[in-house]
Every structure is written in C-alpha cells, then in structure tokens.
Amino acid sequence: MGSGPYGVWLVLFTAVALSQYSDLGVGAAIVFFSAQSRAGNAKGAPARFLSAGLLWNSSACLLLIPLYFVLALLYVTSDEVAQALPESDGFWLAVLATCALLSILLRPFMSTLVGAGLMPVDQRNQLIGTLVRVLGTLAVCLLAPSAVALAMVEVAWVVLPGVLALFSSARRGLVRIRWDSQARTTLTMMLRYSVRSFGASLMGAITLQSGVIIAGLLLGPSAASYYSAAFRVYTAARQVLSWLIEPFRSALSRLYLSDPQVAQRTLLALCFLVTAAASVISVTGLLAAPWLIPAWLGDSAPVTTVSWTLTAFLAGLAVNSLYIPLAMAADSRGIPGLYLVSNAVWMVSAICLSVVLAGQLGIVGIAVGLSAPLIIVVPLNIVIARRRLGLSLRSWVEVCARPVLVLVLPPAVLVAMVSAVLNRSFGGENLPVIVAGVYVLLQALTAIILRRHLPFDQVRDLARARL
C-alpha cells in the first residue's frame, strides 16, 4: 500500500487516539466509584455511574465528531498529503477515522465491567478486537493491500470491544440508563475526581502520540510510517504491561478503602511484576531488533534507522515501568492528578527535544526526545509516591529495584558478551533472534535458581487477589 498512504492514516488515527481523552477521565471515575461502592462506600450503584458517563461522552461526541471530520478533510486535501494518496482515498480515510470516534460513546460500558470486578470479561472483549485486527491486517496485506482497507480493519478493532462491552453489561443487568437530575449530580461528582486524573493522563497521551504527528509534519508521511513501525513494537510492549496491571485497578480502589496495608503490599508486588516484565521485554527486543525489523519491513526499509528508534523506545520503556503502577495507585487512592506536574514536565521536554532532534537525527531523534526526559521524571515520581502515597523507599528497593536488577542484569551481560563473540566469529542474519532466544532461556533459568531470593510469594498473593 506504500509508506505514504499508510503514513497519512497513521496521522489521522493518532489524532483519534488523542480524541479519546475528550471523556475527561470519566471512564477512570466509573471504575473508581463502582469499586468503592462494592467495598461498602454507598455512593450509588454501577448503573448510576454508567448513566452519568454516557451523558458526558454523548455530549462530547456531538461536538467532536463534526469538528474532527472537517479538520481531517483539511489535512488529507493539503498539497503534500494529497500527492501521497490515490484519488478519493483521502476522503474515505477521513470518514473512517471519524467513525473510529464512536468508540468514545462506548467506553463507559468497558469501564463499567472493570468497576464491577469483571475485568476478565473486558479483556476477553479486547482480545477479540485484537484478533480481528491481526487477522484483518493479514487479509488486507495478502488480498487487497490499500490504506482504506487497512483503515476499515483498524476502525473495527477500536469500536468492537465497546460494542461487546455493551452487550456484556446489558446481559449482567448493569445497563439501566436514566438521564435525570440525579445523573447530572452524579456526573458533577465524578468530574471532580476525573478532571484531575484526566490532566495527567492526557499529558502522557500527548507525549506518546506526538511523535507520529511530529514525524508526519516535519519529516513527511513515509517517515511517519517508519517511526510508527518502531512505535508499534513499543506500544505492544506497553499493552502487555497494561494487561498485567489494569486488572488490579478496581481491586486497589477497594483495598485502599477497606485495608490500606494490603493495598500497599499489592502495590509493591505490582511494581516488581511490571518492572521485571518491562525489563525482560526491553532487553529481548533490543537483542532481536536487527532481525525483527528487516523481517517485518523488508530490506528496502531503513532497517538501521528503525532499529535504533526501537532501541530508544525500549530503553525508555524500562525506565518508565518504574512509574506506571504508581500512577494507577494514585487514582485508586483517591488522589488523581498526583503526577500532573511531572507529566507536564515530561510532555514539554519530550516535544521540544523531539522537534529539535528530528532535524538532526530523524525519527531516531524523536524517539530519543521521548525517552530521555524519563531519567529525571521517573525518580521525581518515586519521591512524590513516597510523600503522598506512603511508599516506603526501603521496601520498594527490597521488593522491586534490587530483585529486578538481580533477575535481569546477569543474563543480559552474559548474553551481550556471548553475542559479541559470536557476531565477530560467525555473524549471520539470524544470529540476533537466536541470541534473544538464549537470553529468554537464561532469564527463566535465573528465575528458577534465585526463586527463594525474589518476591515471587508476593506475586502469587497478587494472583489470588479478588478483583
């Protein structure tokens, strides 16, 4: 389908992703208040929070959809973009991107499932959407490669989980919509909570998604495509971390109200689990990148450039994983927006660095601009967690930081040394994936040998936690 048309779709779809934040964090508020209601805090039934959320999201869609469609048309009809697209494709890409905004209307149903302790149902729905995307993308690439056909698949991927959540919620009697004065009162209460969470989340989303837009505007649609190739691997890794942590959002909200000490132990176990997973994923990705990128994009792509871009992303992911559980804990504790200032620092510094470095290093510079500020921002967030969340730095080091270093570092150093020797002696295009596989095996062996010195007991307790 060409890197140009695909790059145009990526810019439109990135804008859709940012538009999801027009709910002002109401989805997080539905989860928080529904979970607290299950813990005995009598502020209403889940259906009450769902009604209020739908009231807000419906209003947002009425305003956002026509505005987005006009701006999308202006973008696809601009001179440089129109030259990169086949005739009439621009119009249909704008239409499909606008249809993806219907997912905003459906998001409250997904939050209702999570708040009701039905996170596995929501994850099943999202898995179905992901399967549709994977199979649909394969079908498009093999049978009818075009940006419009791929856009149809990705719109289905975005909208389908919300549709399934609607039916899942209705089947369990959670959908009783009443838009009356009580709904407006409930919405006001929810917005007092959600707006603070929304600010921090929006800044994080702008930071992550701005790279595609910067690449598209400063370097062209083709650069946006290659940047997105590395960014997709990065977002897939972040999705894995989200699958690990999101099931406990509702549980933490309930535990902070009913048993704060258990909530703190749960948070520390989550910190270890997420940081260990991110570190293993990052090292494996770094080792496999020289094989993965050409196998995925072909030899005609700028393989070295995309590989270095992915390296910058994964290094940032390992650092950022230290903060991810703390952000969820702040929302669950009832102090959303705790990291608003630090996220603002990350957003401004990342965008400024990305714009400056894009001219010097291309898409690699944009990725470096995104990741580099985390060296300062993440330690700041840990200090904030100590002061506001009661996080014990000593416990955090004992349960999270030190075990992760012990688990990840020795196999990584050993494999790096072996890789250097083998590469010098034998080489070969398949060597990186072999080395990555060896690293995974060594990682598993290290975990088995050191199992008594790692906090696996806390992780087992975490797995038994009631959602």
Side-chain angles (χ1 to χ4, degrees):
M1 67 188 71
S3 60
Y6 183 56
V8 173
W9 169 247
L10 287 175
V11 172
L12 291 173
F13 202 57
T14 299
V16 170
L18 290 175
S19 299
Q20 301 293 324
Y21 287 84
S22 61
D23 76 339
L24 295 186
V26 165
I30 293 174
V31 174
F32 175 76
F33 287 109
S34 296
Q36 287 214 325
S37 177
R38 291 195 296 125
N41 189 349
K43 289 188 177 180
R48 176 181 171 185
F49 305 120
L50 172 62
S51 297
L54 286 173
L55 177 62
W56 177 263
N57 284 30
S58 299
S59 302
C61 283
L62 288 175
L63 294 174
L64 185 62
I65 286 177
L67 175 62
Y68 178 87
F69 182 62
V70 171
L71 294 176
L73 280 180
L74 291 175
Y75 171 69
V76 298
T77 55
S78 63
D79 292 339
E80 182 180 0
V81 174
Q83 292 175 3
L85 292 171
E87 186 178 355
S88 79
D89 275 14
F91 172 78
W92 289 113
L93 289 177
V95 169
L96 289 167
T98 305
C99 289
L101 293 175
L102 293 175
S103 61
I104 296 173
L105 184 62
L106 299 166
R107 286 173 68 86
F109 297 104
M110 301 168 67
S111 300
T112 296
L113 289 175
V114 177
L118 298 171
M119 182 74 179
V121 178
D122 181 62
Q123 288 187 319
R124 179 204 64 193
N125 295 339
Q126 294 192 46
L127 178 60
I128 293 173
T130 301
L131 289 175
V132 168
R133 183 191 192 190
V134 171
L135 297 177
T137 300
L138 289 174
V140 168
C141 292
L142 294 175
L143 302 177
S146 74
V148 173
L150 182 63
M152 294 173 65
V153 171
E154 297 206 332
V155 170
W157 164 56
V158 169
V159 175
L160 183 58
V163 174
L164 295 175
L166 167 61
F167 287 107
S168 299
S169 301
R171 190 164 59 247
R172 289 164 175 81
L174 299 175
V175 180
R176 294 187 296 275
I177 301 171
R178 294 184 61 183
W179 286 353
D180 52 15
S181 59
Q182 188 182 57
R184 291 190 294 272
T185 302
T186 302
L187 178 59
T188 301
M189 177 189 69
M190 291 167 60
L191 286 173
R192 290 195 192 102
Y193 170 90
S194 67
V195 166
R196 291 174 290 170
S197 174
F198 157 79
S201 299
L202 178 63
M203 288 179 183
I206 291 174
T207 305
L208 294 175
Q209 301 293 341
S210 62
V212 175
I213 296 175
I214 292 171
L217 296 179
L218 297 184
L219 304 176
S222 294
S225 292
Y226 294 128
Y227 176 89
S228 180
F231 188 70
R232 293 251 171 148
V233 178
Y234 171 74
T235 52
R238 286 184 66 95
Q239 184 62 59
V240 172
L241 301 186
S242 177
W243 286 338
L244 289 175
I245 194 172
E246 283 299 323
F248 301 97
R249 180 179 293 275
S250 177
L252 269 181
S253 297
R254 178 176 51 79
L255 287 172
Y256 271 122
L257 185 66
S258 60
D259 196 338
Q261 290 186 343
V262 175
Q264 287 293 85
R265 290 198 297 270
T266 301
L267 173 59
L268 288 171
L270 279 173
C271 287
F272 168 74
L273 181 63
V274 171
T275 305
S279 300
V280 172
I281 291 171
S282 296
V283 174
T284 305
L286 292 174
L287 294 172
W291 173 87
L292 173 65
I293 300 303
W296 180 17
L297 301 179
D299 294 331
S300 61
V303 173
T304 302
T305 299
V306 177
S307 295
W308 279 110
T309 304
L310 178 59
T311 298
F313 278 141
L314 293 178
L317 177 69
V319 177
N320 195 32
S321 64
L322 297 169
Y323 151 73
I324 292 173
L326 304 179
M328 189 183 75
D331 289 347
S332 302
R333 182 74 179 270
I335 45 177
L338 179 62
Y339 297 106
L340 182 64
V341 174
S342 59
N343 275 13
V345 171
W346 184 25
M347 179 185 71
V348 173
S349 57
I351 291 176
C352 291
L353 275 175
S354 296
V355 171
V356 171
L357 294 177
Q360 307 297 322
L361 302 173
I363 62 174
V364 177
I366 300 175
V368 171
L370 171 70
S371 299
L374 292 170
I375 299 173
I376 297 174
V377 171
V378 169
L380 174 62
N381 288 338
I382 294 173
V383 172
I384 293 173
R386 176 180 176 272
R387 293 177 178 176
R388 298 294 305 278
L389 295 177
L391 180 70
S392 168
L393 289 184
R394 181 177 179 179
S395 298
W396 179 80
V397 169
E398 291 178 352
V399 177
C400 177
R402 188 167 60 195
V404 169
L405 286 176
V406 170
L407 180 65
V408 174
L409 198 56
V413 172
L414 179 60
V415 167
M417 295 171 60
V418 172
S419 175
V421 173
L422 291 177
N423 191 48
R424 189 175 302 170
S425 303
F426 302 102
E429 60 182 17
N430 293 323
L431 181 61
V433 71
I434 295 173
V435 170
V438 171
Y439 170 74
V440 173
L441 292 176
L442 284 176
Q443 188 68 74
L445 182 62
T446 303
I448 294 172
I449 294 173
L450 300 177
R451 62 187 181 279
R452 294 183 179 179
H453 303 280
L454 298 172
F456 288 145
D457 289 341
Q458 288 92 324
V459 174
R460 281 194 292 269
D461 292 341
L462 189 66
R464 300 188 188 103
R466 184 169 67 89
L467 303 182

